[in-house]
Amino acid sequence: MPIIEVQLFDGQAAKGSFGAGRNFFETQREGGFFSKRASPSEIHHFFFDVLNLDDATLKEYTK
């Protein structure tokens, strides 16, 4: 199960999701589910650079 998941929409239409866990990324789109292992630096980049989360917010999600 991902720690954080981002839901993607085009207006009101759901297009899929993208999430990250402690050592993986996952996505669901067009009826398919895909996942892959991710390094700590890739996870860090997703949380802090892509989603712009700060340490305090991330700690709230990962309690």
Side-chain angles (χ1 to χ4, degrees):
M1 175 165 252
I3 295 169
I4 295 178
E5 184 176 72
V6 177
Q7 299 291 321
L8 306 168
F9 289 84
D10 181 5
Q12 295 293 319
K15 291 298 194 177
S17 65
F18 185 85
R22 296 210 181 275
N23 62 356
F24 67 92
F25 291 127
E26 71 172 32
T27 186
Q28 295 184 41
R29 64 182 189 277
E30 299 175 354
F33 173 82
F34 309 93
S35 66
K36 72 170 255 172
R37 287 200 166 288
S39 70
S41 65
E42 290 171 317
I43 298 296
H44 183 273
H45 172 69
F46 176 68
F47 286 147
F48 294 101
D49 299 335
V50 175
L51 297 180
N52 199 32
L53 293 179
D54 58 35
D55 284 324
T57 303
L58 184 59
K59 286 178 184 175
E60 285 297 312
Y61 282 103
T62 58
K63 282 183 179 180

